[in-house]
Amino acid sequence: MTTRTRFAPSPTGYLHIGGARTALFSWAYARKFGGTFILRIEDTDLERSSQESVQAILDGMAWLNLDYDEGPFYQMQRMDRYKAVLQQMLEEGTAYYCYTTPAELEAMREAQRARGEKPRYDGCWRPEPGKVLPVIPADVKPVVRFKNPLTGVAAWDDMVKGRIVFENSELDDLIIARADGTPTYNFCVVIDDLDMGITQVIRGDDHVNNTPRQINILKALGATLPQYAHVPMILGSDGERLSKRHGAVSVMQYEEEGFLPEALVNYLARLGWSHGDEEIFSVAQLVEWFDLGHISKSAAQFNPEKLRWLNQHYIKLADNARLAVWVAKNLAARGIQVSDAPALTAVIALYKERAATLVELANEAAVFYDAVQPPAELLAAHLLPEVLPALRELAERFADVAWEAPAIAAAIKELLAKHNLKMPKLAMPIRVMLVGQTHTPSVDAVLALFPREVVVQRLQKYL
């Protein structure tokens, strides 16, 4: 049987870290077995769904390079199909109309709680042989309930968690269509998975309690069951449920903060899945190695520092021209226009070893294209009287020295010897006057990137 997996988000917000990991695992499984990966938008929650959220999901998938083979399919465009199956189930007796009102249902549950019982629908409208049903009220629009088996079990061998068993006696009759006729989530999911031939359902373990109900509906329809894999949730570094303060933000916010998609994909893959001790691997290696058997049964913890470490690794490997596109766009958003001198790719080549994010890289690049105002305390700390003569002489020397790193380095060393100074005594004030900070790559390499006239101008301003 051809492998067919799906990612089925609800467009009620952005694509977040948990959803992106689910999408990645479903995508990788399909790619591993040469199957089909389907994108399905579960947009039946009309009050909370939005086109903006749909676009955020599509943008996030595209940025992560999680290409889908079919879709996106939208549940709201499949209403006729759902209603046809509902009618079929009503005719076959696997579903029935229920006229219990919400107020009656709440009163029923309150009475059950008072008796120490589990609150649930009591099946008063469930048709059974020899049972006399209540008189149908004229002013109540019914819901449709699934006629869940009263005995036996709903069980499956979860591809992550192992054998899971639910007693059918613990499940009440699920509402599968609301009083206004719209089908409910659990019903739509079943019909979609059935129609789309889904072979493996890979999703978060918050869906475990939905699975026995979905299995029973599939059995009532005479369908072949897919395999289920429920992936444990992601926790923050403090062990609490992942939230915005931990990094549970839109996937596209990571793009805005200067993370590379390959870094986030690598990190998400290791967030609850492993291949030996491998920490860094390509997408091709992920597809080759991926299996559901090595997904942890316990929750994964989100570690922002590890993501930064991975991102730094991928920045070092990335093509300078590719990084320059992002950095130039970031600088333009700040009102800084990149000029031809120095070439942005050259700046990136010098600084990218030091950057954990592209924002940090853009911050370093900004000093080459924008006016710099060194902090007064740095100027006071490093422009000391004993080094000012050497700095003034160096500024004069820079006016006619060959403008390349070896010649610049030679000029600096010559003046160090002449004035009996150590390298930091000259290098630190040069950095401060030039870029407003004390930490840069080799000072001669930084100087060589700037146009000569910019260097002389910035030094003479403070000398």
Side-chain angles (χ1 to χ4, degrees):
M1 183 181 296
T2 302
T3 297
R4 292 175 63 83
T5 67
R6 47 75 159 181
F7 176 51
S10 298
T12 55
Y14 46 71
L15 177 62
H16 55 75
I17 287 295
R21 186 188 64 167
T22 299
L24 175 62
F25 285 175
S26 297
W27 176 88
Y29 192 88
R31 295 291 173 263
K32 168 69 177 285
F33 293 101
T36 300
F37 176 59
I38 298 165
L39 177 61
R40 190 169 77 214
I41 306 296
E42 299 186 340
D43 57 349
T44 56
D45 187 342
L46 297 180
E47 290 185 3
R48 298 174 61 220
S49 296
S50 70
Q51 187 55 45
E52 290 78 13
S53 293
V54 171
Q55 193 58 52
I57 291 167
L58 298 178
D59 290 345
M61 297 281 286
W63 182 65
L64 292 172
N65 294 310
L66 299 181
D67 56 316
Y68 39 91
D69 305 297
E70 295 179 13
F73 298 107
Y74 296 88
Q75 286 185 330
M76 286 303 297
Q77 297 175 6
R78 289 174 44 78
M79 283 295 150
D80 289 346
R81 168 62 176 157
Y82 303 141
K83 290 178 180 179
V85 178
L86 284 168
Q87 186 59 41
Q88 172 193 331
M89 293 178 70
L90 287 166
E91 292 171 359
E92 293 176 351
T94 55
Y96 61 93
Y97 289 115
C98 170
Y99 294 85
T100 303
T101 66
E104 290 171 339
L105 189 59
E106 185 54 37
M108 183 189 303
R109 289 169 174 165
E110 283 298 324
Q112 290 165 337
R113 291 189 191 99
R115 295 193 299 268
E117 300 172 0
K118 178 180 177 181
R120 55 186 292 165
Y121 171 65
D122 65 4
C124 58
W125 286 95
R126 178 184 173 116
E128 300 288 0
K131 178 180 178 180
V132 178
L133 297 178
V135 176
I136 295 176
D139 58 346
V140 176
K141 289 185 177 181
V143 299
V144 177
R145 288 186 182 270
F146 171 61
K147 195 174 183 182
N148 195 75
L150 299 175
T151 59
V153 299
W156 72 97
D157 293 310
D158 197 276
M159 299 176 77
V160 173
K161 294 180 172 295
R163 186 71 173 171
I164 298 178
V165 179
F166 282 79
E167 295 288 336
N168 283 325
S169 59
E170 293 296 310
L171 306 173
D172 59 4
D173 289 352
L174 177 73
I175 294 175
I176 56 177
R178 303 176 185 88
D180 63 2
T182 59
T184 59
Y185 164 78
N186 274 301
F187 180 76
C188 294
V189 168
V190 166
I191 306 308
D192 290 343
D193 287 344
L194 172 60
D195 288 355
M196 296 175 191
I198 302 301
T199 55
Q200 284 79 28
V201 173
I202 302 168
R203 58 190 180 189
D205 63 3
D206 53 330
H207 287 281
V208 165
N209 288 334
N210 291 328
T211 303
R213 299 181 179 281
Q214 294 174 11
I215 285 175
N216 283 341
I217 296 173
L218 283 167
K219 286 182 176 178
L221 293 169
T224 300
L225 300 182
Q227 293 179 292
Y228 292 93
H230 290 91
V231 181
M233 70 173 62
I234 302 171
L235 303 177
S237 54
D238 56 2
E240 298 295 321
R241 189 179 183 91
L242 196 64
S243 64
K244 286 186 178 180
R245 65 189 174 90
H246 299 112
V249 295
S250 167
V251 161
M252 297 310 294
Q253 186 168 328
Y254 284 96
E255 195 270 345
E256 293 170 11
E257 293 177 357
F259 288 86
L260 294 174
E262 58 265 40
L264 189 56
V265 165
N266 191 156
Y267 181 71
L268 289 175
R270 282 291 283 117
L271 205 55
W273 173 84
S274 63
H275 180 79
D277 295 326
E278 300 288 345
E279 292 288 349
I280 299 174
F281 41 82
S282 66
V283 172
Q285 287 173 313
L286 168 63
V287 170
E288 179 185 347
W289 295 338
F290 189 75
D291 63 349
L292 295 169
H294 285 113
I295 292 178
S296 172
K297 292 181 173 62
S298 56
Q301 286 196 316
F302 186 81
N303 184 340
E305 287 308 309
K306 186 171 181 181
L307 174 56
R308 283 174 56 83
W309 171 76
L310 270 173
N311 200 53
Q312 186 166 27
H313 167 80
Y314 282 104
I315 286 175
K316 290 177 183 178
L317 296 180
D319 179 74
N320 295 334
R322 174 193 173 199
L323 300 181
V325 172
W326 193 100
V327 170
K329 181 180 177 182
N330 180 271
L331 293 178
R334 309 184 200 184
I336 301 172
Q337 296 303 316
V338 174
S339 61
D340 293 334
L344 184 54
T345 50
V347 175
I348 286 170
L350 183 61
Y351 276 87
K352 72 178 187 178
E353 294 272 337
R354 305 158 54 88
T357 70
L358 296 183
V359 169
E360 293 178 6
L361 191 54
N363 291 341
E364 299 282 11
V367 299
F368 289 86
Y369 307 102
D370 198 24
V372 172
Q373 182 57 54
E377 61 271 19
L378 286 183
L379 289 170
H382 296 286
L383 266 68
L384 302 174
E386 61 266 31
V387 300
L388 285 176
L391 287 169
R392 292 189 182 110
E393 190 174 342
L394 187 62
E396 293 175 5
R397 184 74 60 87
F398 280 167
D400 56 14
V401 71
W403 204 246
E404 55 189 21
I408 293 170
I412 293 173
K413 288 177 182 177
E414 183 180 331
L415 284 174
L416 288 173
K418 178 179 178 179
H419 292 270
N420 195 28
L421 296 171
K422 299 291 186 183
M423 176 63 83
K425 283 291 187 179
L426 273 187
M428 286 301 219
I430 290 172
R431 287 185 172 107
V432 171
M433 289 185 287
L434 196 63
V435 300
Q437 54 186 282
T438 56
H439 297 287
T440 72
S442 173
V443 70
D444 56 311
V446 174
L447 285 163
L449 278 180
F450 278 97
R452 180 199 306 271
E453 59 273 17
V454 173
V455 171
V456 173
Q457 181 185 37
R458 290 191 183 185
L459 295 186
Q460 289 181 339
K461 180 178 180 180
Y462 301 100
L463 298 175

